[in-house]
Amino acid sequence: MKLRNILATLLIAFPVCRMTAAVDPNFYIFLCFGQSNMEGAARPEAQDLVSPGPRFLLMPAVDDPQRGRKMGEWCEALPPLCRPNNGLTPADYFGRTLVKSLPDNIRVGVIHVAIGGIRIEGFMPDSIAAYVKKAPSWMKGMLEAYDNNPYERLVTLARKAQKDGVIKGILMHQGESNTDDPDWAWKVQNVYDNLLGDLQLKPEEVPLLAGEVVQADGQGQCIRMNKQINELPLTLHTAQVISSTGCTNGPDRLHFDAAGYRELGCRYGERMAELLGYKPVRPVIQQPKTFEVPADAVLATTTVPGNNFPKIDSQRRAYFRVVAPEADKVVLDICNKKYDMESDGRGAWFATTDPLVVGFHYYFLNIGGVNFIDPSTETFFGCNREAGGIEILEGPEGDYYRPQAGVAHGQVRSIYYYSNSSNQWRHAMVYTPAEYEKGKKRYPVLYLQHGMGEDETGWSKQGHMQHIMDNAIASGKAVPMIVVMESGDIKAPFGRGQSFESYGASFYPVLLNDLIPYIDSNFRTKSDREHRAMAGLSWGGHQTFDVVLNNIDKFAYMGTFSGAIFGLDVKTAYNGIFSRADEFNKNIHYLFMSCGSEENFGTEAMVKNLKELGINAHFYESKGTAHEWLTWRRGLNEFIPHLFK
């Protein structure tokens, strides 16, 4: 009993306290406040998301559930340091510079409170309440994140941090919203003095570092504010001004870009290291690269207006640029070759190709194994999906597929019709010659099909069919005609277990029973077989053989361009029609087959076999081209002069 009484007396005299870690004098803490440039307006890039290590810490001023951060609890200092949706700030590379410059036993921590657009009054204790009441609506959510008192949030967290380490400095980037305010320096002094008083700090031990605003080579939106910032030490003798000279900026000339924030942040860190008595050492930064484009390079005709790339030089090399700041690797896939794009260190990626062959080429960009379309280029349906594309221009020899001055131009119409054969609405493109609107004349019709993985827009968009027709008609090479283009049910790739014979065959009854009757009913056509032709490229050529040779009573002309006609026994195919040369030649007035010299489709050999059977088959070879749109443009241009004559 005596021992128990002694213990009780000791407990009364010395109450038990919760054990806490002692303040670490080697844990240097810095308070960061300001407006949008301190908040962070640039998207972090790959190098910014590499951890600076356990010596650089952040005490979040708001919760960030996505990153597992809780307000007031130290965590790894990776961007965003301010709020969940903010970006890179000067504080990021301030901290990285300090941990490089200071001894290994010293840790660095930051507390970060900033609000885009806020005036300095928003941090003055006596002015905050009035400021919040008059704040613009777009700022209210940001203020609410700090319970409408950003100053109090900063002080509350700073007091908590003082239990762990020592406050060594204050970083500020503010002033854009107070440009030309003659009392700005005094107001900054007010905020600084209140922080020192509330946190019991000594001014000679806690300097204020204030950064200049964006200069933009003298064109900064608020550049006049820099004069006031540079004069701040006249009012606040512990203030240190951090120059923004040469710090790059975004297009608004108000915010720094990622490289600008890195540079400015390093300058904050270097100044603080010097004030602490250490030699500044910068972290390793991937410096922006400059990619040279020859002066003779011009925008590709397929580049979306308002973009500076893709470009093509006089040697037919193409230059590509895409902004993908969070990507680790970007690949350009064009003309059966893949190019690793190079980062400029500021979020943009560049690639230069080998000289490309003339003509139209699909291409993709690839990030993380996923192909996507270059946002700077027009899109084209090809490769079973929307794709990017670029035109490598021919010389004057390509004028036949370009619009020409003095040539009357026809129209390409978009139509929808209902197919009873497939129980669905379907889409087609219809070319009418320039003279179609001027009279009551009737016209022959060419049904023109695209290839596998493309759609009904291909001939008019990638193939420039309308210009080929306009120019050929204007020169008298071809008679005026209507051209109809449908998807042909070959936009999608071969299905699993699907045979060659069935691929695209669902289009045949649609064409014969729905599309042809619709065209004859809604356009002024000559609806007999003598005035109807069919042709197609690649698998569209395969469809042409299937349709025409099984329906000779409906077509008198046929053509293929790189036709996908493989393993055909010309003596027995299509009920042996080729073995009856007289019958074939009487009904099919013109059979045309073409291919590129660089593709191995066996077209020339097949034409030779047909001729040996007595078939009037005509062959054309496109020199220097492969399975591509330039081959097919040339083929169409050679084919149409022989129709309906």
Side-chain angles (χ1 to χ4, degrees):
M1 290 295 294
K2 180 180 284 188
L3 179 60
R4 183 179 300 170
N5 289 336
I6 293 172
L7 288 173
T9 302
L10 288 172
L11 287 172
I12 293 172
F14 304 101
V16 176
C17 297
R18 180 175 60 87
M19 293 187 66
T20 59
V23 173
D24 181 358
N26 291 321
F27 186 16
Y28 293 179
I29 297 165
F30 300 89
L31 311 183
C32 309
F33 77 96
Q35 56 186 109
S36 57
N37 272 314
M38 181 59 79
E39 194 180 49
R43 182 188 294 272
E45 297 170 3
Q47 63 177 318
D48 309 317
L49 299 174
V50 177
S51 174
R55 291 177 54 213
F56 183 26
L57 301 175
L58 166 72
M59 178 179 280
V62 297
D63 290 336
D64 187 350
Q66 178 182 348
R67 296 174 178 83
R69 296 175 177 177
K70 292 185 178 180
M71 181 177 66
E73 295 185 6
W74 293 109
C75 63
E76 185 179 41
L78 277 175
L81 301 184
C82 192
R83 296 189 306 280
N85 295 321
N86 296 138
L88 197 66
T89 84
D92 282 287
Y93 279 81
F94 163 80
R96 292 170 188 250
T97 300
L98 278 188
V99 297
K100 283 287 186 181
S101 305
L102 274 52
D104 291 345
N105 65 321
I106 296 179
R107 295 179 298 156
V108 174
V110 294
I111 301 171
H112 202 286
V113 175
I115 294 176
I118 195 169
R119 292 176 62 86
I120 193 65
E121 289 85 348
F123 290 98
M124 296 170 61
D126 295 337
S127 304
I128 292 173
Y131 184 81
V132 169
K133 288 182 179 179
K134 297 180 180 179
S137 58
W138 53 264
M139 189 184 291
K140 291 189 180 298
M142 294 183 279
L143 288 165
E144 289 171 359
Y146 303 115
D147 293 330
N148 290 315
N149 196 326
Y151 174 86
E152 185 60 34
R153 179 66 56 85
L154 185 61
V155 169
T156 298
L157 296 180
R159 286 172 175 155
K160 184 175 183 180
Q162 284 178 307
K163 298 177 182 178
D164 301 315
V166 183
I167 295 175
K168 289 287 187 176
I170 300 171
L171 279 61
M172 180 189 76
H173 198 285
Q174 198 282 332
E176 292 95 334
S177 295
N178 287 83
T179 302
D180 299 326
D181 179 355
D183 296 325
W184 177 78
W186 173 83
K187 294 173 182 177
V188 172
Q189 172 87 56
N190 176 278
V191 176
Y192 178 72
D193 288 346
N194 276 288
L195 286 172
L196 296 183
D198 288 338
L199 298 173
Q200 299 181 18
L201 302 172
K202 298 178 180 179
E204 61 272 16
E205 296 176 354
V206 185
L208 173 75
L209 277 61
E212 290 183 333
V213 301
V214 166
Q215 297 195 29
D217 296 325
Q219 301 299 313
Q221 293 281 8
C222 301
I223 194 170
R224 298 190 311 278
M225 189 63 196
N226 281 340
K227 182 177 184 297
Q228 293 173 259
I229 295 172
N230 280 291
E231 293 175 350
L232 181 62
L234 299 178
T235 301
L236 181 58
H237 73 278
T238 59
Q240 301 283 324
V241 176
I242 310 302
S243 171
S244 66
T245 300
C247 293
T248 52
N249 53 273
D252 62 2
R253 294 182 286 115
L254 183 63
H255 298 98
F256 299 99
D257 60 12
Y261 283 119
R262 293 186 199 108
E263 177 62 29
L264 188 64
C266 286
R267 293 178 186 181
Y268 271 97
E270 289 169 335
R271 181 65 59 84
M272 182 55 70
E274 291 172 342
L275 294 173
L276 293 170
Y278 297 98
K279 181 180 179 180
V281 179
R282 285 197 171 202
V284 175
I285 297 176
Q286 182 182 354
Q287 295 300 324
K289 295 181 180 178
T290 300
F291 289 84
E292 297 295 333
V293 178
D296 64 1
V298 297
L299 285 177
T301 58
T302 44
T303 300
V304 174
N307 291 279
N308 294 323
F309 292 88
K311 288 183 174 179
I312 307 165
D313 68 16
S314 59
Q315 303 302 309
R316 302 197 309 273
R317 288 185 294 259
Y319 302 83
F320 296 87
R321 177 184 183 271
V322 65
V323 177
E326 295 185 23
D328 295 320
K329 183 178 182 180
V330 183
V331 177
L332 166 68
D333 188 347
I334 186 171
C335 293
N336 299 314
K337 184 170 182 177
K338 295 182 179 180
Y339 299 85
D340 288 336
M341 301 186 77
E342 292 186 70
S343 171
D344 70 347
R346 297 170 63 179
W349 297 76
F350 290 82
T352 303
T353 69
D354 298 332
L356 302 175
V357 297
V358 294
F360 175 87
H361 307 291
Y362 297 114
Y363 74 93
F364 292 97
L365 302 178
N366 186 290
I367 296 179
V370 178
N371 283 339
F372 67 95
I373 302 170
D374 181 354
S376 298
T377 190
E378 300 282 357
T379 57
F380 307 84
F381 195 91
C383 310
N384 306 113
R385 55 166 289 183
E386 293 289 346
I390 188 170
E391 185 81 33
I392 308 300
L393 295 180
E394 287 190 283
E397 69 273 18
D399 285 348
Y400 71 92
Y401 60 79
R402 301 182 184 119
Q404 300 296 317
V407 170
H409 303 294
Q411 298 180 10
V412 178
R413 310 179 186 206
S414 172
I415 67 162
Y416 287 86
Y417 68 100
Y418 190 78
S419 167
N420 290 311
S421 301
S422 60
N423 296 315
Q424 62 181 175
W425 285 96
R426 298 179 67 102
H427 181 237
M429 309 297 289
V430 180
Y431 166 84
T432 55
E435 64 178 47
Y436 184 84
E437 304 300 321
K438 298 179 181 179
K440 297 182 179 180
K441 178 181 174 181
R442 292 187 174 273
Y443 296 87
V445 184
L446 166 62
Y447 289 85
L448 185 62
Q449 291 304 116
H450 58 84
M452 180 176 68
E454 292 163 334
D455 73 358
E456 64 274 19
T457 66
W459 267 112
S460 56
K461 197 167 184 182
Q462 292 97 293
H464 303 312
M465 170 279 310
Q466 65 276 37
H467 305 316
I468 297 173
M469 296 300 304
D470 289 340
N471 294 330
I473 292 170
S475 66
K477 289 175 55 179
V479 302
M481 67 186 78
I482 294 171
V483 183
V484 180
M485 297 149 283
E486 224 265 23
S487 73
D489 294 344
I490 56 174
K491 292 172 66 173
F494 281 107
R496 181 177 295 178
Q498 188 174 20
S499 66
F500 281 172
E501 291 76 16
S502 64
Y503 182 66
S506 57
F507 174 60
Y508 304 161
V510 172
L511 172 65
L512 298 169
N513 301 327
D514 302 306
L515 181 56
I516 290 176
Y518 177 87
I519 296 298
D520 287 341
S521 296
N522 291 275
F523 291 85
R524 298 196 311 276
T525 67
K526 293 181 178 181
S527 57
D528 60 305
R529 66 173 301 278
E530 295 293 321
H531 295 92
R532 188 178 298 130
M534 184 173 180
L537 69 88
S538 193
W539 202 261
H542 181 102
Q543 291 181 307
T544 297
F545 261 52
D546 282 356
V547 171
V548 174
L549 297 177
N550 285 312
N551 299 276
I552 290 181
D553 61 319
K554 293 182 174 61
F555 298 89
Y557 301 84
M558 61 185 295
T560 68
F561 321 116
S562 308
I565 305 162
F566 309 120
L568 191 71
D569 184 341
V570 295
K571 294 180 180 179
T572 61
Y574 302 107
N575 297 315
I577 186 61
F578 294 124
S579 65
R580 304 188 299 275
D582 290 344
E583 177 186 343
F584 181 89
N585 293 335
K586 178 182 177 180
N587 287 284
I588 300 299
H589 303 327
Y590 189 70
L591 168 59
F592 175 86
M593 300 181 71
S594 68
C595 66
S597 63
E598 306 307 305
E599 56 183 333
N600 185 22
F601 264 47
T603 305
E604 186 174 14
M606 183 176 175
V607 170
K608 180 181 178 182
N609 291 337
L610 290 173
K611 285 184 175 182
E612 290 174 353
L613 293 175
I615 300 297
N616 290 332
H618 302 268
F619 174 71
Y620 167 77
E621 183 178 69
S622 170
K623 299 297 183 182
T625 61
H627 203 66
E628 57 188 273
W629 275 104
L630 188 52
T631 298
W632 308 325
R633 293 173 189 167
R634 291 175 178 176
L636 179 64
N637 193 48
E638 293 291 326
F639 175 57
I640 56 176
H642 302 279
L643 300 182
F644 313 122
K645 292 183 177 179

